[in-house]
Amino acid sequence: MTKQYYKSLYFSDYPSKDANGRSVTVAFNEPEMPYFTRVKDLTTPEVKDLIGYVFYDDIVKLAKLEERSINQTIKRLIKQNVEKQNKKYFTEKDVTFSNSKNIPFQRWYPYIEGYSPDFVKSLIEEYKINDCVVYEPFAGTGTTIFAADQCGLKTVYSEVNPLLQFLTQVKINVLKESQKKRKVISNELKKISANIFETLNSFSENIELETSYIQAFGKSKYFSKDTFSKILKLRTYIDFLYLKSEELVADLLSIAVFSSLLSVSLLKKNGDVRFRTKEEIAKGEMKILEDVLPKKIEEIASDLLCADFSMKTKPEFILSNSKKTNCIHDLKIGAIITSPPYLNGTNYFRNTKIELWFLRYLQNENDLRLFRDQALTSGINDVKREYASQIANEKVDNCKLLSDTLLELEQKSYDSRIQLMVKCYFYEMFQVFNNVKNHLQKNAKILIDLGDSIFCGVHVKTDKILIDILQKIGYKLIDTKVLRKRRSKNNEILSQVLIVFNYNQQVENNNVKTPNYQWQEKWNDIKTNLPYQKEPFSKKNWGNPNHSLCSYQGKLKPAIANHLVTTFVPEGGTFLDLFSGVGTIPFEGALTGRKAYGIDISKPAYYISSAKVGKSNPEDCFEIIFDLENYINLNKSNADFNRWKNFGFNKTLQDYYEPQTFSEILSARDYFIKNQPKTTEEMLVISALLHILHGNRPYALSRRSHPIVPYAPTGNFEYKILTEKLKEKVLKSLKVELPDNFTNGKIFLQDTTKIWSQEITDLDAIITSPPFFDSTRFYLANWIRIWFAGWGIEDFKYQPRSFVEEKQKIDFSIYEPIFRQAKERLKKDGVFVLHLGKSVKCDMAKELQKVAKRWFKTADLFDESVAHCQTYGIKDIGTVTSHQYLVLV
């Protein structure tokens, strides 16, 4: 039997004595579904306006004249008028998130600030947007992206909230997959849903996530103890799925979890997020994770099977911050369709804080503030008073309506930040639409959905002020349309308005500027003279002794690092090393008075580089060793001996160590797993211990091996007391003198292809040496140290898949998020310097230039033979034929 869809319409003159029965039910069959979809959410007056008939009696007369039934007549009128090209209908629900609650893929995360895809598609049709690239500067959950795609339009987009970036990218990845693959993923999710909480019993709570909760939220309690424990275990389980290369399954499960967090927390969203009251909790408003999560997983699994949803185009994430489009290249935008954050006081990041925490984007209490600093100022807490002296622009300042509004706010507002918030909002909106002009094609259309505001009784006419500002910079207003009326918190009437512009001007590309290469002379001198190949820099032991805090394969020569840093980073400047390894480049920065940041995915590298870029207090160091010594003495158990004695690659662990020494190493490993290093002193102690794990000198705890790569050991077994050797190494490091201008740096443990800490910004340079394409496998060359830092058997099997050295063998596009973020974090004249390896298999510079071209231009590329390089006794030095220095601006 064909499925039917029904719409009831009320008529005051319908022949019924019962007022409640004065309605006509119109039935639509499946082929008529598009017309039903158009009217199902319209009110009766809206449908009457559409069909052109108000009274039932008039429809009866028309039906008799046409010899049709009442049902057929009303449907004919609906079809006829819906299909009129110049008459587009959308409901108030279309211009809010309301309709999206039931739309597959859109309903995954309840982002109430959004609008519906049908609304966007109706705008594309009405304003004849076709055969062009659409830009969405405030992408949110991706509604514009997916609606434009269904219309065959490619999009480029920006979104500052990493939660929404993640959500949008996962949707894109899913919709690019074949129906066959989506069915496999759907079935896997259903299996997970059926046994999710039984599965969690096999996983431990995620210590790092718990630590970041404390650092970000302090003593605030957002979950019950039991729920919090399950959330931490879910994080561990999802991480395990990533390591197994089940990335889409892990991504979708992540969405299911963070979409459930608010409903199972002590928080609720009522405008802004706040704590639930005791009464609300008593009413059962706080849900149970066991009820919510399986349903959400099932919902996502079901949506994957919707054949109507698939990607026709390749959306491109160009920047997180839409205020910075002037720093990228060649977008060729034909239309902008967007709904910017409303000037309504809403704190968009605070409202998503627990979701951001679960995704690891919040690591400490400052991160929310740092995220807000990147976003469009739309809430009072987004404002810093120091902004007042920074904001000045003739086009904005000369807007009389804005000036009058600000004056009235100054007289009536209870907080001076309110008028500053309003001024910032329009100044930043000016930045967005002024900077994007460089990329607009002739006759580009700009569609902006936004609402006005009221603060302290002062009406801020957002649409009219923005119209004035944009007209001053060349945009031509072609249409305005009130989408719906809404009410403020104090019950005053406000409007949601669509404003439409056309842009016809040809703008001189401001991206083409004379480069300010302050480093050019020094760089030319380096290329000509190669000073690091000459004395004193060519000496094997040149540089600060703490460069040798811990041996590590693939370490850049300190002399090269020194020359790169002093050439490209001004004195007192700030820079970042994206693959910091054991901190050679950041340490040279710290030694020369530069502020250095570093990122690395390897825990041993993270510990070692963190120790180098900080100053350690000797008393604290020896207190840690004393605590470690007590732990070893109390935990000299053989419980882990049998588990690990046969583990290894070239040889097993028991082949390296005398049994008692091995027992102490196992206890020390357990100590540092339970007490994750955080302070500079803890980093120094564990780094020193990592160094003495193996080597060919008396300091080493192992039999005779090699200090960099743990080659198969030789010689006699000898008991060596771990803490004695450790004290010697730590004392040796502490005795090293640091210069007076030594500047503490900061290292982050993470995958550099993921979102970097918001603390890393306003950089003078990025100087880094990514893993060479044909390099040795660092995780095997350093396997004992990586094992000591916490890796288990499964980690050696799965973790390497997340390393750039493995990923780049498949596709160099993994560098896209690196270049995108680099452009946003660098100063206007900042420089990106990459030290690369060229081999017979791959010209890394050539490949990376292709990926970087959207964001960077090549200032120089210099090739240098590797014939002069030292091998340090390493047998496998790879197939690199030359080192490349790629300089991007």
Side-chain angles (χ1 to χ4, degrees):
M1 184 176 178
T2 305
K3 190 171 183 180
Q4 297 280 303
Y5 305 90
Y6 302 98
K7 175 69 179 177
S8 294
L9 303 175
Y10 174 82
F11 290 94
S12 59
D13 63 334
Y14 186 83
S16 172
K17 293 180 180 180
D18 182 5
N20 293 327
R22 293 173 185 167
S23 64
V24 173
T25 299
V26 184
F28 296 80
N29 57 35
E30 288 201 50
E32 296 167 330
M33 181 64 178
Y35 301 104
F36 170 73
T37 302
R38 274 315 220 6
V39 299
K40 67 184 178 71
D41 292 314
L42 292 176
T43 63
T44 290
E46 287 172 331
V47 176
K48 289 178 178 179
D49 183 51
L50 172 65
I51 65 178
Y53 286 85
V54 176
F55 298 107
Y56 178 75
D57 188 50
D58 292 334
I59 294 175
V60 170
K61 290 176 182 177
L62 180 63
K64 287 181 179 179
L65 182 66
E66 295 182 345
E67 297 182 347
R68 300 174 187 267
S69 67
I70 299 295
N71 187 71
Q72 290 172 333
T73 300
I74 294 174
K75 285 196 294 185
R76 184 190 67 76
L77 291 169
I78 289 172
K79 293 176 185 178
Q80 172 185 301
N81 289 287
V82 161
E83 289 171 352
K84 286 183 179 178
Q85 292 300 309
N86 297 324
K87 190 75 172 175
K88 306 299 174 191
Y89 283 87
F90 45 82
T91 71
E92 290 193 1
K93 289 184 178 181
D94 286 321
V95 296
T96 67
F97 185 75
S98 181
N99 276 349
S100 296
K101 291 178 181 177
N102 299 312
I103 299 175
F105 298 93
Q106 287 296 107
R107 62 181 177 168
W108 289 359
Y109 181 70
Y111 193 68
I112 63 172
E113 289 79 10
Y115 44 34
S116 78
D118 282 344
F119 171 60
V120 178
K121 287 188 280 187
S122 73
L123 296 180
I124 290 171
E125 185 178 354
E126 180 174 358
Y127 292 100
K128 297 180 174 59
I129 297 170
N130 50 58
D131 195 25
C132 70
V133 173
V134 175
Y135 176 46
E136 166 56 290
F138 306 97
T141 59
T143 304
T144 296
I145 298 167
F146 300 112
D149 179 81
Q150 289 179 335
C151 297
L153 298 174
K154 174 182 167 59
T155 52
V156 294
Y157 67 97
S158 302
E159 173 51 53
V160 75
N161 191 320
L163 167 73
L164 304 180
Q165 293 174 20
F166 176 83
L167 181 66
T168 299
Q169 189 57 58
V170 175
K171 289 181 187 177
I172 291 171
N173 291 343
V174 168
L175 294 174
K176 287 192 299 186
E177 292 289 355
S178 65
Q179 286 295 319
K180 182 179 179 181
K181 174 73 178 207
R182 281 156 62 174
K183 186 174 182 180
V184 170
I185 296 171
S186 176
N187 290 336
E188 185 60 32
L189 286 173
K190 288 174 182 177
K191 290 177 186 176
I192 290 172
S193 175
N195 302 292
I196 182 69
F197 292 99
E198 291 83 354
T199 302
L200 290 186
N201 292 330
S202 303
F203 291 88
S204 60
E205 296 179 1
N206 191 284
I207 297 173
E208 289 82 5
L209 191 64
E210 183 178 19
T211 300
S212 67
Y213 182 95
I214 296 168
Q215 292 173 340
F217 306 133
K219 295 181 180 180
S220 298
K221 184 181 178 182
Y222 298 145
F223 303 97
S224 69
K225 185 176 180 180
D226 180 62
T227 299
F228 189 59
S229 174
K230 289 185 174 70
I231 292 168
L232 296 178
K233 289 181 178 180
L234 281 163
R235 180 71 271 169
T236 304
Y237 175 47
I238 291 171
D239 290 347
F240 173 70
L241 292 176
Y242 279 120
L243 295 178
K244 288 178 64 182
S245 291
E246 297 180 21
E247 291 191 12
L248 264 181
V249 174
D251 284 340
L252 292 167
L253 185 55
S254 294
I255 291 174
V257 173
F258 72 62
S259 296
S260 305
L261 290 181
L262 193 62
S263 64
V264 302
S265 75
L266 295 166
L267 302 171
K268 71 173 291 183
K269 192 171 185 181
N270 188 10
D272 279 338
V273 167
R274 62 165 174 80
F275 275 100
R276 300 182 194 273
T277 64
K278 292 181 180 179
E279 292 76 15
E280 288 168 340
I281 294 174
K283 288 179 183 177
E285 285 192 11
M286 190 170 74
K287 306 299 181 185
I288 299 172
L289 189 61
E290 285 83 348
D291 293 337
V292 175
L293 182 57
K295 290 177 183 177
K296 177 56 72 172
I297 299 172
E298 287 279 348
E299 179 182 278
I300 292 173
S302 174
D303 287 355
L304 296 184
L305 303 180
C306 294
D308 292 342
F309 292 84
S310 59
M311 295 301 297
K312 302 175 184 176
T313 64
K314 293 181 178 180
E316 183 182 354
F317 179 32
I318 53 166
L319 286 172
S320 62
N321 192 337
S322 57
K323 290 175 276 187
K324 296 186 176 183
T325 52
N326 61 324
C327 71
I328 57 176
H329 311 297
D330 307 324
L331 291 178
K332 298 179 181 177
I333 296 165
I336 297 174
I337 304 174
T338 190
S339 180
Y342 286 9
L343 182 56
N344 56 10
T346 298
N347 189 328
Y348 292 96
F349 279 104
R350 185 174 179 273
N351 285 350
T352 56
K353 63 183 179 182
I354 57 175
E355 295 95 328
L356 288 166
W357 160 74
F358 183 78
L359 289 174
R360 293 195 175 99
Y361 297 133
L362 289 188
Q363 295 291 330
N364 58 64
E365 61 182 349
N366 294 324
D367 283 345
L368 274 177
R369 172 77 258 175
L370 293 167
F371 274 125
R372 289 205 303 268
D373 289 346
Q374 305 299 314
L376 188 72
T377 299
S378 56
I380 192 168
N381 290 319
D382 298 341
V383 176
K384 285 184 177 178
R385 295 191 187 276
E386 55 264 34
Y387 290 170
S389 61
Q390 300 172 4
I391 301 173
N393 179 270
E394 183 181 351
K395 306 292 185 184
V396 181
D397 293 339
N398 288 342
C399 175
K400 186 175 186 305
L401 180 55
L402 175 59
S403 298
D404 291 345
T405 303
L406 293 173
L407 181 60
E408 191 175 358
L409 281 170
E410 187 176 348
Q411 295 167 348
K412 295 182 179 180
S413 67
Y414 57 86
D415 189 327
S416 62
R417 290 180 300 167
I418 293 177
Q419 56 264 40
L420 185 54
M421 172 188 70
V422 172
K423 186 175 182 181
C424 283
Y425 181 83
F426 288 106
Y427 175 68
E428 291 170 16
M429 287 285 273
F430 162 80
Q431 283 184 300
V432 171
F433 290 99
N434 190 55
N435 288 341
V436 79
K437 289 191 303 181
N438 299 321
H439 303 290
L440 294 179
Q441 301 279 75
K442 194 171 182 181
N443 294 319
K445 292 185 175 70
I446 294 84
L447 285 66
I448 307 171
D449 165 9
L450 76 168
D452 52 0
S453 307
I454 290 178
F455 297 99
C456 308
V458 179
H459 187 191
V460 182
K461 299 175 182 178
T462 313
D463 55 323
K464 290 182 171 54
I465 294 172
L466 188 61
I467 287 170
D468 189 11
I469 292 171
L470 294 194
Q471 285 180 323
K472 282 183 168 67
I473 58 175
Y475 290 88
K476 180 182 178 182
L477 182 69
I478 60 174
D479 198 8
T480 62
K481 187 178 295 184
V482 176
L483 301 174
R484 70 180 178 113
K485 296 292 184 181
R486 51 196 238 283
R487 289 191 179 272
S488 66
K489 290 181 180 178
N490 59 358
N491 215 32
E492 295 190 58
I493 295 177
L494 296 170
S495 299
Q496 182 177 347
V497 180
L498 176 72
I499 54 177
V500 184
F501 297 91
N502 189 257
Y503 194 79
N504 286 317
Q505 297 184 17
Q506 292 294 100
V507 178
E508 182 181 346
N509 192 345
N510 293 330
N511 288 327
V512 180
K513 60 182 184 294
T514 303
N516 182 17
Y517 293 169
Q518 297 177 349
W519 41 263
Q520 189 72 65
E521 186 177 342
K522 285 185 178 179
W523 177 234
N524 286 337
D525 181 66
I526 288 175
K527 291 191 296 180
T528 303
N529 298 310
L530 302 175
Y532 44 81
Q533 293 189 26
K534 301 172 183 177
E535 290 194 358
F537 300 107
S538 60
K539 291 182 178 180
K540 184 177 179 180
N541 61 348
W542 181 90
N544 189 284
N546 274 347
H547 273 298
S548 300
L549 174 60
C550 183
S551 304
Y552 200 79
Q553 187 176 10
K555 184 172 71 174
L556 189 68
K557 277 187 65 176
I560 295 177
N562 175 273
H563 282 86
L564 292 177
V565 167
T566 55
T567 296
F568 292 104
V569 187
E571 290 185 16
T574 304
F575 74 99
L576 167 67
D577 182 354
L578 290 165
F579 301 91
S580 61
V582 289
T584 304
I585 296 175
F587 188 39
E588 277 302 313
L591 290 168
T592 57
R594 276 85 170 167
K595 173 70 174 181
Y597 291 105
I599 296 174
D600 207 279
I601 196 171
S602 164
K603 266 195 175 180
Y606 163 66
Y607 294 148
I608 299 162
S609 52
S610 294
K612 288 180 181 178
V613 299
K615 291 181 179 179
S616 291
N617 181 298
E619 290 183 5
D620 291 341
C621 288
F622 288 108
E623 187 176 331
I624 294 164
I625 296 173
F626 178 75
D627 190 38
L628 173 63
E629 189 171 35
N630 286 337
Y631 186 89
I632 290 172
N633 289 333
L634 292 171
N635 295 275
K636 282 187 177 179
S637 167
N638 289 326
D640 277 350
F641 189 90
N642 291 330
R643 178 186 176 193
W644 292 114
K645 66 179 183 180
N646 293 317
F647 176 73
F649 290 91
N650 50 350
K651 289 290 182 178
T652 64
L653 286 169
Q654 66 178 343
D655 293 320
Y656 282 84
Y657 306 105
E658 186 274 338
Q660 193 172 345
T661 302
F662 186 34
S663 178
E664 292 183 9
I665 290 171
L666 289 171
S667 296
R669 179 179 185 269
D670 189 54
Y671 172 86
F672 282 110
I673 289 174
K674 291 177 178 176
N675 302 279
Q676 292 287 305
K678 299 180 183 66
T679 67
T680 301
E681 290 77 14
E682 289 168 336
M683 299 291 186
L684 176 60
V685 171
I686 194 171
S687 299
L689 180 46
L690 290 171
H691 178 71
I692 65 174
L693 283 176
H694 57 81
N696 53 9
R697 303 285 176 84
Y699 69 77
L701 297 174
S702 69
R703 298 163 64 202
R704 185 175 180 82
S705 179
H706 192 282
I708 299 177
V709 178
Y711 290 138
T714 59
N716 297 326
F717 286 94
E718 179 185 350
Y719 171 53
K720 296 179 181 179
I721 301 172
L722 183 147
T723 51
E724 284 187 4
K725 297 296 181 183
L726 179 58
K727 287 174 188 175
E728 291 173 12
K729 176 61 179 175
V730 169
L731 185 60
K732 183 178 179 181
S733 296
L734 289 171
K735 286 181 178 179
V736 173
E737 291 188 9
L738 298 174
D740 292 338
N741 66 337
F742 184 89
T743 302
N744 288 333
K746 188 170 183 179
I747 311 297
F748 297 89
L749 176 65
Q750 72 158 91
D751 179 348
T752 196
T753 66
K754 306 299 183 185
I755 294 175
W756 312 338
S757 168
Q758 296 301 295
E759 181 181 337
I760 303 172
T761 189
D762 205 29
L763 302 170
D764 293 289
I766 295 174
I767 304 174
T768 195
S769 183
F772 294 174
F773 181 80
D774 201 29
S775 64
T776 55
R777 296 178 176 180
F778 289 114
Y779 57 92
L780 289 182
N782 298 284
W783 71 267
I784 288 183
R785 290 176 177 134
I786 291 177
W787 163 81
F788 185 86
W791 272 26
I793 297 169
E794 291 293 294
D795 292 303
F796 280 94
K797 182 178 179 181
Y798 296 119
Q799 288 273 15
R801 296 173 182 174
S802 64
F803 283 23
V804 165
E805 63 190 272
E806 294 299 315
K807 287 182 175 180
Q808 69 186 5
K809 293 176 182 177
I810 301 171
D811 192 345
F812 274 101
S813 67
I814 61 158
Y815 282 88
E816 282 184 8
I818 292 174
F819 290 123
R820 180 177 63 243
Q821 293 186 85
K823 195 62 174 180
E824 295 195 74
R825 309 301 180 94
L826 284 164
K827 291 178 180 177
K828 187 176 181 180
D829 292 318
V831 59
F832 192 160
V833 183
L834 296 110
H835 172 262
L836 306 167
K838 181 179 181 180
S839 70
V840 292
K841 294 182 180 179
C842 180
D843 184 333
M844 282 191 74
K846 182 179 179 181
E847 295 302 321
L848 292 182
Q849 281 176 301
K850 294 176 187 176
V851 182
K853 66 180 181 180
R854 173 70 86 192
W855 300 278
F856 289 94
K857 294 188 181 297
T858 300
D860 196 18
L861 173 58
F862 173 57
D863 271 34
E864 177 192 10
S865 169
V866 298
H868 67 282
C869 293
Q870 295 170 309
T871 63
Y872 300 100
I874 302 298
K875 300 169 186 175
D876 181 7
I877 58 172
T879 61
V880 172
T881 57
S882 67
H883 287 175
Q884 301 172 306
Y885 296 87
L886 176 61
V887 184
L888 304 173
V889 293

